[in-house]
Amino acid sequence: MTLNNKPVADGKVTLINNKLGLVLDTISDGKGKFKFSNLLITEGIDFTIQGRTAKNSKRLEIQIDKFVEQDATPNINIGDINSDIPKALMASIENSVKQDLDMQKHGRIGRGQHLKEVRIQASKLPKFGNTIHENQADQVFRPDSRQNCGTFKDCLEKMNNNKSVRFDQIMSEDCGPMWVARTLSGDGVYAVTIDGWILESCDFQELLLGDGSNISKVYFVYDSYAMRARLLGGRFGLKPPPVMAIYTKSGNFRQKYDPSVVYYAPKGFASVKEFYVPKYGNNEVNNSLADLRSTIYWNPATVTDKEGKARLSYFNSDNKGTYRVTVEGINADGLLGRQVYRYQVK
């Protein structure tokens, strides 16, 4: 929407996740609406969404649809809830005691056992997005409190052996007179990133004209297209512009509200964990111990077929009595289903 609350047609919307190195673009329709499809959102994933008009102006507001949560209705399963926690845990506690006694009977408890050696190796995850090593930059600037300069811009221009940057003042339709960072030769305009975010020139004027007390370091990259693309997350095609990458001490540059950029953290799917199941029928496994598990089966990722049916198989434990089965599911439209039934093992 414009700042006057009117739809922005043909606006450019960018979805960014630096952790995954993800950058997606789309265009808003005549009503100012946009969407990103076919995204698998897992637990803990968040995004930054940035909008621009067709003329590349940031004078707009990104609005995310808010889904109204389902109204609370009477719980039809209220009779299935057992509020007596000690009683509900009694079966598990009794089975644990029986398991310990059975292990002691077979000599599996009460004496030391030598376990096989297990070596665990780890490696660093690859870094995605706008990250390079310091020695990959063509020049690095670090603020020096002893340097006599009035503004952060002056400090950059007066840095020792400056072979990278100069600033020219131009008139912008969006923010009036402003400073643009160019290569020292003047043949290239720097794309500017701050703490990994690509910003328009209007967005960092306040930082340039400040004292730079929050600046940790600045990378200048202009020789290597590969390093430029790395810092810009693969944007701007095969020949990206030179990059001035600014890093603040706090690691979070956002000194004023910018309605064209929003942070979005949807509720993602939790990662599926494997549930322990004994391997029955394996001759290499000693099955002399009794199976006294209280929870015998759990599968969070069952998918039905075209007819809405699914087939599951599992082994009961050695316990006799009543087994309780709870089946919960969700369809493609978000409708929930739940069924509880019981069966006897004699």
Side-chain angles (χ1 to χ4, degrees), residues 121-132:
Q121 296 180 342
S123 59
K124 293 184 178 180
L125 293 174
K127 293 183 178 180
F128 297 96
N130 37 17
T131 304
I132 65 172

Side-chain angles (χ1 to χ4, degrees), residues 44-113:
I45 297 297
D46 53 9
F47 302 97
T48 296
I49 302 176
Q50 176 180 276
R52 292 292 184 266
T53 66
K55 296 183 178 180
N56 205 34
S57 170
K58 69 168 188 174
R59 296 180 63 82
L60 53 81
E61 181 182 4
I62 291 289
Q63 297 179 357
I64 306 298
D65 291 339
K66 296 182 179 180
F67 295 95
V68 179
E69 295 185 0
Q70 184 177 353
D71 293 334
T73 57
N75 188 355
I76 62 174
N77 300 303
I78 193 66
D80 188 56
I81 297 177
N82 187 354
S83 60
D84 190 348
I85 304 301
K87 183 178 180 180
L89 294 177
M90 186 58 65
S92 178
I93 296 173
E94 291 177 349
N95 286 337
S96 296
V97 173
K98 293 178 181 178
Q99 190 80 63
D100 289 344
L101 293 175
D102 191 50
M103 292 182 67
Q104 187 175 12
K105 176 182 177 181
H106 290 84
R108 299 291 188 87
I109 196 170
R111 60 184 179 87
Q113 296 188 31

Side-chain angles (χ1 to χ4, degrees), residues 41 55 63 69 138 145 196-197 253 280 313:
I41 301 175
K55 296 183 178 180
Q63 297 179 357
E69 295 185 0
D138 295 303
S145 58
W197 302 108
F253 175 76
Y280 292 107
S313 63

